[in-house]
Amino acid sequence: MLVNTFVCWSFFALNCLLAGKQKRTQVINRWVPLWARINLLIFRIRVLPAGQLYDADKLIPGRDSKGRGRIFISNHRSGLDIPLLLSLVEAHCISRHDLANWPIIGRGARSIGTLFVDRESRRSGAAVLKEVGHAIENGEGVAMFPEGTSYGGDEVREFRNGAFNAARRANAQLVPIGLAYSDEAAYFFHEAFIDHAKRLTMVKSMSVAVEFGEPIEFGDLTTPEVIQRAHAQVQELVNRARKRLDENP
């Protein structure tokens, strides 16, 4: 994983230098999915995507038909969730603040526009929401996990307001996503990341079903109404993903 990150980041940086700032987003959308897919191959992950917006021949666009960025919202179960989503959609991810200082991975994450947040700091959270707004205005997608942290199992926990406040302020479309893993070894909860990564390397192979739902617009809905609708949709998508895994072990 570290070698892949270093190699992809090196070629990405060179490509950015040659392409110039105006084409940086295009370069990101070329190299980030490649980095993500290689990581999934390293961990022997079989990805089974389906649903609204999904097209096997291309990434799901980070912007809607009006040119505004989208916010992709998903349940959060594993350290694999980020490369998984980045292999399928055009988006920046929001990650834990300490990852920004990790060797190689942190530098690579910063260079591709990852947004970092300290979940214990209100100031950090407010700053990230502003950055999300800027990304949306620029027509760039952002992937967020509104449960706030990762959990085990298929039950979708209560959603926090952050992603939805950002979507309302930026008038962004929400794209719900449901994830289900075939092996509980994928779950990342109450442990050191290095222990999580070591366990993943011990698994011979694993499948993950990804379901994309119908985009949600705020329209005349209140924020609590949108949160309720989004939560229900993500739970339904997780259930569909689990059913597909059961039918295709």
Side-chain angles (χ1 to χ4, degrees), residues 7 17 30 47 76 83-84 87 109 115 121 140 155 157 159 165 169 174 176 193 202 207 224 237 248:
V7 172
L17 183 64
R30 181 182 306 125
V47 183
H76 194 11
L84 176 64
S87 73
L115 309 178
S121 169
E140 300 171 8
E155 178 190 353
R157 271 57 169 197
F159 281 174
N165 290 336
R169 292 174 187 171
L174 291 159
F193 183 80
M202 301 298 291
S207 297
L237 294 170
N248 299 278

mmCIF file of all heavy atoms in Angstrom, residues 7 17 30 47 76 83-84 87 109 115 121 140 155 157 159 165 169 174 176 193 202 207 224 237 248:
data_model
loop_
_atom_site.group_PDB
_atom_site.id
_atom_site.type_symbol
_atom_site.label_atom_id
_atom_site.label_comp_id
_atom_site.label_asym_id
_atom_site.label_seq_id
_atom_site.Cartn_x
_atom_site.Cartn_y
_atom_site.Cartn_z
ATOM 1 N N VAL A 7 4.475 5.492 -5.517
ATOM 2 C CA VAL A 7 4.619 5.456 -6.978
ATOM 3 C C VAL A 7 3.537 6.296 -7.654
ATOM 4 O O VAL A 7 3.825 7.124 -8.537
ATOM 5 C CB VAL A 7 4.575 4.006 -7.495
ATOM 6 C CG1 VAL A 7 4.520 3.982 -9.028
ATOM 7 C CG2 VAL A 7 5.785 3.225 -7.006
ATOM 8 N N LEU A 17 2.515 18.756 -12.818
ATOM 9 C CA LEU A 17 3.513 19.744 -13.233
ATOM 10 C C LEU A 17 3.434 19.990 -14.731
ATOM 11 O O LEU A 17 3.508 21.135 -15.194
ATOM 12 C CB LEU A 17 4.909 19.261 -12.837
ATOM 13 C CG LEU A 17 6.070 20.205 -13.120
ATOM 14 C CD1 LEU A 17 5.920 21.485 -12.303
ATOM 15 C CD2 LEU A 17 7.394 19.529 -12.797
ATOM 16 N N ARG A 30 -7.747 11.079 -12.822
ATOM 17 C CA ARG A 30 -7.086 10.021 -13.572
ATOM 18 C C ARG A 30 -6.266 9.124 -12.628
ATOM 19 O O ARG A 30 -6.312 7.901 -12.730
ATOM 20 C CB ARG A 30 -6.163 10.622 -14.645
ATOM 21 C CG ARG A 30 -5.450 9.572 -15.496
ATOM 22 C CD ARG A 30 -4.515 10.225 -16.507
ATOM 23 N NE ARG A 30 -5.221 11.198 -17.316
ATOM 24 C CZ ARG A 30 -4.862 12.466 -17.445
ATOM 25 N NH1 ARG A 30 -3.781 12.919 -16.810
ATOM 26 N NH2 ARG A 30 -5.547 13.299 -18.195
ATOM 27 N N VAL A 47 -15.027 -5.958 -6.083
ATOM 28 C CA VAL A 47 -16.023 -4.887 -5.963
ATOM 29 C C VAL A 47 -17.209 -5.189 -6.869
ATOM 30 O O VAL A 47 -17.037 -5.455 -8.066
ATOM 31 C CB VAL A 47 -15.408 -3.511 -6.315
ATOM 32 C CG1 VAL A 47 -16.434 -2.405 -6.117
ATOM 33 C CG2 VAL A 47 -14.171 -3.242 -5.461
ATOM 34 N N HIS A 76 -20.267 3.751 6.893
ATOM 35 C CA HIS A 76 -18.812 3.637 7.040
ATOM 36 C C HIS A 76 -18.495 2.374 7.834
ATOM 37 O O HIS A 76 -18.916 2.236 8.982
ATOM 38 C CB HIS A 76 -18.293 4.873 7.782
ATOM 39 C CG HIS A 76 -16.817 5.054 7.724
ATOM 40 N ND1 HIS A 76 -15.992 4.324 6.891
ATOM 41 C CD2 HIS A 76 -15.992 5.912 8.402
ATOM 42 C CE1 HIS A 76 -14.739 4.722 7.055
ATOM 43 N NE2 HIS A 76 -14.711 5.669 7.966
ATOM 44 N N PRO A 83 -10.670 4.045 -0.405
ATOM 45 C CA PRO A 83 -10.252 3.633 -1.755
ATOM 46 C C PRO A 83 -11.399 3.026 -2.557
ATOM 47 O O PRO A 83 -11.447 3.169 -3.780
ATOM 48 C CB PRO A 83 -9.138 2.603 -1.499
ATOM 49 C CG PRO A 83 -9.264 2.217 -0.075
ATOM 50 C CD PRO A 83 -9.848 3.394 0.629
ATOM 51 N N LEU A 84 -12.331 2.371 -1.874
ATOM 52 C CA LEU A 84 -13.482 1.804 -2.565
ATOM 53 C C LEU A 84 -14.289 2.892 -3.273
ATOM 54 O O LEU A 84 -14.581 2.796 -4.474
ATOM 55 C CB LEU A 84 -14.365 1.055 -1.565
ATOM 56 C CG LEU A 84 -15.675 0.485 -2.108
ATOM 57 C CD1 LEU A 84 -15.393 -0.587 -3.147
ATOM 58 C CD2 LEU A 84 -16.513 -0.070 -0.970
ATOM 59 N N SER A 87 -12.492 4.649 -6.148
ATOM 60 C CA SER A 87 -12.356 3.847 -7.365
ATOM 61 C C SER A 87 -13.595 3.952 -8.254
ATOM 62 O O SER A 87 -13.571 3.524 -9.403
ATOM 63 C CB SER A 87 -12.107 2.368 -7.012
ATOM 64 O OG SER A 87 -13.283 1.749 -6.511
ATOM 65 N N ALA A 109 -2.283 12.195 0.339
ATOM 66 C CA ALA A 109 -3.678 12.578 0.584
ATOM 67 C C ALA A 109 -3.857 14.094 0.465
ATOM 68 O O ALA A 109 -4.837 14.572 -0.116
ATOM 69 C CB ALA A 109 -4.109 12.091 1.960
ATOM 70 N N LEU A 115 -9.732 16.386 2.545
ATOM 71 C CA LEU A 115 -10.066 17.339 3.596
ATOM 72 C C LEU A 115 -9.925 16.641 4.939
ATOM 73 O O LEU A 115 -10.439 15.541 5.125
ATOM 74 C CB LEU A 115 -11.494 17.856 3.404
ATOM 75 C CG LEU A 115 -11.830 18.385 1.999
ATOM 76 C CD1 LEU A 115 -13.289 18.824 1.927
ATOM 77 C CD2 LEU A 115 -10.908 19.537 1.626
ATOM 78 N N SER A 121 -13.066 18.628 17.533
ATOM 79 C CA SER A 121 -12.919 20.091 17.492
ATOM 80 C C SER A 121 -14.015 20.727 16.645
ATOM 81 O O SER A 121 -14.133 20.446 15.457
ATOM 82 C CB SER A 121 -11.541 20.454 16.908
ATOM 83 O OG SER A 121 -11.468 21.835 16.612
ATOM 84 N N GLU A 140 -16.794 20.244 -7.821
ATOM 85 C CA GLU A 140 -16.078 19.043 -7.421
ATOM 86 C C GLU A 140 -16.889 18.244 -6.405
ATOM 87 O O GLU A 140 -17.560 18.815 -5.545
ATOM 88 C CB GLU A 140 -14.714 19.402 -6.825
ATOM 89 C CG GLU A 140 -13.820 20.158 -7.807
ATOM 90 C CD GLU A 140 -12.563 20.689 -7.158
ATOM 91 O OE1 GLU A 140 -12.307 20.349 -5.984
ATOM 92 O OE2 GLU A 140 -11.838 21.460 -7.806
ATOM 93 N N GLU A 155 -26.383 -2.339 10.270
ATOM 94 C CA GLU A 155 -27.259 -1.293 10.792
ATOM 95 C C GLU A 155 -26.621 0.074 10.584
ATOM 96 O O GLU A 155 -25.488 0.317 11.013
ATOM 97 C CB GLU A 155 -27.520 -1.501 12.282
ATOM 98 C CG GLU A 155 -28.391 -0.407 12.896
ATOM 99 C CD GLU A 155 -28.452 -0.470 14.405
ATOM 100 O OE1 GLU A 155 -27.915 -1.455 14.984
ATOM 101 O OE2 GLU A 155 -29.013 0.449 15.021
ATOM 102 N N ARG A 157 -26.095 3.676 11.551
ATOM 103 C CA ARG A 157 -26.279 4.469 12.768
ATOM 104 C C ARG A 157 -26.791 5.877 12.453
ATOM 105 O O ARG A 157 -26.846 6.284 11.304
ATOM 106 C CB ARG A 157 -24.972 4.552 13.535
ATOM 107 C CG ARG A 157 -24.731 3.439 14.544
ATOM 108 C CD ARG A 157 -24.765 2.062 13.956
ATOM 109 N NE ARG A 157 -24.267 1.051 14.900
ATOM 110 C CZ ARG A 157 -23.885 -0.150 14.559
ATOM 111 N NH1 ARG A 157 -23.904 -0.528 13.281
ATOM 112 N NH2 ARG A 157 -23.478 -1.022 15.460
ATOM 113 N N PHE A 159 -27.288 9.623 11.704
ATOM 114 C CA PHE A 159 -26.486 10.553 10.915
ATOM 115 C C PHE A 159 -26.258 11.859 11.673
ATOM 116 O O PHE A 159 -27.184 12.388 12.307
ATOM 117 C CB PHE A 159 -27.187 10.873 9.592
ATOM 118 C CG PHE A 159 -27.041 9.801 8.539
ATOM 119 C CD1 PHE A 159 -27.729 9.909 7.336
ATOM 120 C CD2 PHE A 159 -26.214 8.707 8.726
ATOM 121 C CE1 PHE A 159 -27.601 8.945 6.349
ATOM 122 C CE2 PHE A 159 -26.070 7.724 7.748
ATOM 123 C CZ PHE A 159 -26.778 7.848 6.560
ATOM 124 N N ASN A 165 -25.709 19.977 6.509
ATOM 125 C CA ASN A 165 -25.554 21.424 6.594
ATOM 126 C C ASN A 165 -24.715 21.945 5.425
ATOM 127 O O ASN A 165 -25.026 22.979 4.830
ATOM 128 C CB ASN A 165 -24.891 21.813 7.913
ATOM 129 C CG ASN A 165 -25.794 21.587 9.116
ATOM 130 O OD1 ASN A 165 -27.019 21.568 8.980
ATOM 131 N ND2 ASN A 165 -25.214 21.412 10.288
ATOM 132 N N ARG A 169 -26.116 24.538 2.507
ATOM 133 C CA ARG A 169 -25.439 25.820 2.271
ATOM 134 C C ARG A 169 -24.958 25.936 0.832
ATOM 135 O O ARG A 169 -25.023 27.004 0.227
ATOM 136 C CB ARG A 169 -24.246 25.962 3.217
ATOM 137 C CG ARG A 169 -24.617 26.127 4.684
ATOM 138 C CD ARG A 169 -23.373 26.104 5.555
ATOM 139 N NE ARG A 169 -23.692 26.085 6.971
ATOM 140 C CZ ARG A 169 -22.796 25.898 7.935
ATOM 141 N NH1 ARG A 169 -21.512 25.714 7.610
ATOM 142 N NH2 ARG A 169 -23.166 25.885 9.188
ATOM 143 N N LEU A 174 -27.269 15.362 -3.005
ATOM 144 C CA LEU A 174 -26.748 14.275 -2.189
ATOM 145 C C LEU A 174 -26.922 12.944 -2.932
ATOM 146 O O LEU A 174 -28.006 12.663 -3.443
ATOM 147 C CB LEU A 174 -27.493 14.197 -0.860
ATOM 148 C CG LEU A 174 -27.257 15.346 0.128
ATOM 149 C CD1 LEU A 174 -28.395 15.411 1.134
ATOM 150 C CD2 LEU A 174 -25.927 15.177 0.842
ATOM 151 N N PRO A 176 -26.835 9.027 -2.194
ATOM 152 C CA PRO A 176 -26.717 8.007 -1.148
ATOM 153 C C PRO A 176 -26.063 6.732 -1.668
ATOM 154 O O PRO A 176 -26.290 6.316 -2.806
ATOM 155 C CB PRO A 176 -28.174 7.756 -0.747
ATOM 156 C CG PRO A 176 -28.962 8.073 -1.982
ATOM 157 C CD PRO A 176 -28.212 9.175 -2.684
ATOM 158 N N PHE A 193 -5.235 1.485 13.490
ATOM 159 C CA PHE A 193 -5.351 1.259 12.052
ATOM 160 C C PHE A 193 -4.369 0.195 11.577
ATOM 161 O O PHE A 193 -4.698 -0.597 10.694
ATOM 162 C CB PHE A 193 -5.114 2.564 11.284
ATOM 163 C CG PHE A 193 -5.288 2.409 9.800
ATOM 164 C CD1 PHE A 193 -6.549 2.415 9.230
ATOM 165 C CD2 PHE A 193 -4.185 2.238 8.966
ATOM 166 C CE1 PHE A 193 -6.722 2.250 7.864
ATOM 167 C CE2 PHE A 193 -4.350 2.069 7.599
ATOM 168 C CZ PHE A 193 -5.622 2.081 7.048
ATOM 169 N N MET A 202 -4.462 -10.680 5.941
ATOM 170 C CA MET A 202 -4.568 -12.106 6.231
ATOM 171 C C MET A 202 -5.757 -12.769 5.539
ATOM 172 O O MET A 202 -5.843 -13.994 5.485
ATOM 173 C CB MET A 202 -4.687 -12.326 7.744
ATOM 174 C CG MET A 202 -3.513 -11.788 8.546
ATOM 175 S SD MET A 202 -1.940 -12.584 8.111
ATOM 176 C CE MET A 202 -2.241 -14.225 8.769
ATOM 177 N N SER A 207 -15.394 -9.835 -0.851
ATOM 178 C CA SER A 207 -16.253 -9.091 -1.777
ATOM 179 C C SER A 207 -16.920 -7.942 -1.042
ATOM 180 O O SER A 207 -17.183 -8.025 0.163
ATOM 181 C CB SER A 207 -17.327 -10.002 -2.371
ATOM 182 O OG SER A 207 -16.752 -11.041 -3.129
ATOM 183 N N PRO A 224 -33.851 18.300 8.788
ATOM 184 C CA PRO A 224 -34.215 17.025 9.443
ATOM 185 C C PRO A 224 -34.943 16.064 8.506
ATOM 186 O O PRO A 224 -34.734 14.848 8.583
ATOM 187 C CB PRO A 224 -35.128 17.469 10.596
ATOM 188 C CG PRO A 224 -34.682 18.864 10.902
ATOM 189 C CD PRO A 224 -34.340 19.457 9.573
ATOM 190 N N LEU A 237 -30.253 0.732 0.774
ATOM 191 C CA LEU A 237 -29.177 0.384 -0.152
ATOM 192 C C LEU A 237 -28.235 -0.655 0.459
ATOM 193 O O LEU A 237 -27.753 -1.563 -0.230
ATOM 194 C CB LEU A 237 -28.400 1.638 -0.552
ATOM 195 C CG LEU A 237 -29.190 2.667 -1.378
ATOM 196 C CD1 LEU A 237 -28.408 3.972 -1.495
ATOM 197 C CD2 LEU A 237 -29.523 2.114 -2.756
ATOM 198 N N ASN A 248 -24.594 -13.853 -4.482
ATOM 199 C CA ASN A 248 -23.353 -14.050 -5.262
ATOM 200 C C ASN A 248 -22.173 -14.183 -4.307
ATOM 201 O O ASN A 248 -21.324 -13.289 -4.241
ATOM 202 C CB ASN A 248 -23.140 -12.862 -6.213
ATOM 203 C CG ASN A 248 -24.242 -12.702 -7.205
ATOM 204 O OD1 ASN A 248 -24.286 -13.371 -8.230
ATOM 205 N ND2 ASN A 248 -25.171 -11.764 -6.933
#
